[in-house]
Each structure stands twice: as structure tokens, then as C-alpha cells.
Amino acid sequence: MATENGRGRKPVPITLLMAEPAAVIAQDEAEQAAKLFKALSDPIRIRLLSLVRYSPGGEACFCDLAEEFDMPQPSLSHHLRVLVAAGILDRERRGTWSWYTVLPEPLRSLETLLHAGGPLADRAAPLRSSGSRQVQKAGEPEEYSKKRGIPGER
């Protein structure tokens, strides 16, 4: 790559792996997490999970959940079935009604992925510089760096 004076710049290596190798999520864990994220990717399902989780005794009857939503019974049943299939909710039949409870393990696994320092949050590997070029002092305004003539800053 040529510059104005005809001299070229040396390419800068870029590190694509942004996390420590031990923190990179395994394929099977990624597939399970994707299944959970997909099940929770609908606002109705998020609300259902919240309603069940904070119901008295930690369980909710379909009849009580249906009162909270203005939708046909088959549509609500579909959303609950998705949450049950993903392993987020457990369903127990009592007579003609279904009762739902939250299974804590899937939510714990998502929490492990998303908490600060976990594989999906705040764990970037340090970037390596390609030289000893000083860019800008911490807290120094960019205009001041330009006046000092720091190479590469324009």
C-alpha cells in the first residue's frame, strides 16, 4: 500500500481469536445455547417465562396464563410447547389443565455464558501491537496529539 511520499506501510497482523482458548465455547454447548436463545427469542415467551417464574408457588396453570394474553388458545399453547421442548419449562398434567414450572438449569447455563467474564461477554484477548508507535496518551485530547505530530494520527 503506497502513501503520498511513495513509501509503503508495513501490514499490521490482526488477531481474530478474541477470547482465551479455554474460554471458547464447545460445539455442543453452542448448539444447546442456540436452542435456548431461539426459544427465548419471542417477547411472548419471555413474558410467559416471567409469569411462570414469579407465580405463587413457582408454578402456573394454563388457565391463569391464558388470562394474561389476548390470543387464541392454540397460539398460546404453541409458545408454551416451544419453551417445554427447549427444556426451559416443565409441564405437568393435572386433570384437564397443564401446570408449568421453570427448570433452573437451562437458565443457569445461559447465565454462565453471559455473565461478566464468561465466554460471550467481557473477555476479549489483549490485542498485540506491531511496533512501539505511540498513538495518544490516556486522557489527552485528539487535537493535542495531532499538534504534537504523532505518526499515523491525522
Side-chain angles (χ1 to χ4, degrees):
M1 170 187 308
T3 60
E4 293 175 15
N5 60 9
R7 290 187 287 182
R9 287 192 203 176
K10 188 175 183 179
V12 177
I14 298 174
T15 304
L16 295 179
L17 181 62
M18 297 303 291
E20 308 263 339
V24 175
I25 188 168
Q27 180 66 28
D28 59 333
E29 292 173 344
E31 289 172 5
Q32 181 61 30
K35 181 180 171 184
L36 296 172
F37 283 127
K38 185 175 181 181
L40 293 170
S41 67
D42 188 287
I44 292 170
R45 294 184 207 136
I46 297 283
R47 189 147 182 256
L48 281 167
L49 176 60
S50 177
L51 287 167
V52 173
R53 186 174 193 171
Y54 294 105
S55 292
E59 62 181 5
C61 177
F62 180 88
C63 58
D64 295 328
L65 295 171
E67 292 177 6
E68 296 291 326
F69 295 90
D70 184 28
M71 68 174 53
Q73 179 271 331
S75 297
L76 186 59
S77 292
H78 164 75
H79 288 293
L80 287 163
R81 190 169 40 254
V82 169
L83 292 170
V84 170
I88 296 170
L89 292 182
D90 187 33
R91 178 178 156 250
E92 180 185 339
R93 295 282 297 186
R94 297 183 197 159
T96 59
W97 294 109
S98 293
W99 288 78
Y100 296 90
T101 56
V102 175
L103 296 172
E105 190 54 40
L107 298 179
R108 278 192 212 115
S109 68
L110 290 180
E111 180 183 14
T112 300
L113 292 174
L114 297 172
H115 82 280
L120 298 181
D122 300 330
R123 196 160 187 175
L127 295 176
R128 298 176 188 191
S129 64
S130 62
S132 60
R133 185 177 94 165
Q134 179 185 7
V135 178
Q136 181 175 340
K137 292 181 180 178
E140 179 180 64
E142 186 177 350
E143 298 80 26
Y144 186 71
S145 298
K146 289 178 185 176
K147 288 179 186 176
R148 289 191 302 122
I150 296 175
E153 292 294 310
R154 298 197 197 259

